[in-house]
Amino acid sequence: PGGLLAITFWRLTDDPRYATRRLSFETYNASAAQPIALQQLEAGDTLLRWGNAGAPPRYCHFPDPDETERLIQATSLRIVERFHADGRGDRLNEYVLLKH
């Protein structure tokens, strides 16, 4: 009670610079010791190359605007503040602050 919940949604898919970091699940599975079950993936699931060339990709989920709204509504909390920030143009992250 009285606490504040801060949620961050990455919006890297809105920045074309990150398009080159995307790795298809099929490409990953071609050389993976443990392939990812493609039938278990959801829209918005993505692999991103991160760090040096030998680093494993990072699994990310980028919810679309409708999913974002459903997630926020499921908390039953009220929005105190909502804004975008970070990166060129302040668009890489969406921040939502919620309170009971």
Side-chain angles (χ1 to χ4, degrees):
L4 189 67
L5 174 63
I7 302 173
T8 303
F9 296 100
W10 274 1
R11 296 296 181 218
L12 300 181
T13 54
D14 294 346
D15 188 328
R17 294 177 303 142
Y18 284 90
T20 60
R21 291 188 179 198
R22 293 181 108 172
L23 177 65
S24 75
F25 287 99
E26 293 80 8
T27 299
Y28 174 82
N29 281 348
S31 61
Q34 290 188 308
I36 295 169
L38 300 179
Q39 68 276 13
Q40 293 182 3
L41 297 173
E42 298 177 350
D45 290 349
T46 303
L47 292 175
L48 288 179
R49 293 179 183 94
W50 214 265
N52 64 35
R58 183 180 289 188
Y59 166 83
C60 304
H61 179 79
F62 298 105
D64 65 27
D66 290 338
E67 183 180 3
T68 298
E69 293 309 313
R70 285 192 306 274
L71 290 167
I72 292 168
Q73 294 302 313
T75 69
S76 298
L77 301 173
R78 68 178 173 82
I79 296 174
V80 175
E81 190 164 353
R82 187 176 198 164
F83 59 94
H84 288 85
D86 307 320
R88 292 181 191 158
D90 285 331
R91 302 294 303 164
L92 286 185
N93 291 304
E94 179 180 1
Y95 295 92
V96 183
L97 303 177
L98 304 160
K99 194 169 188 168
H100 195 276

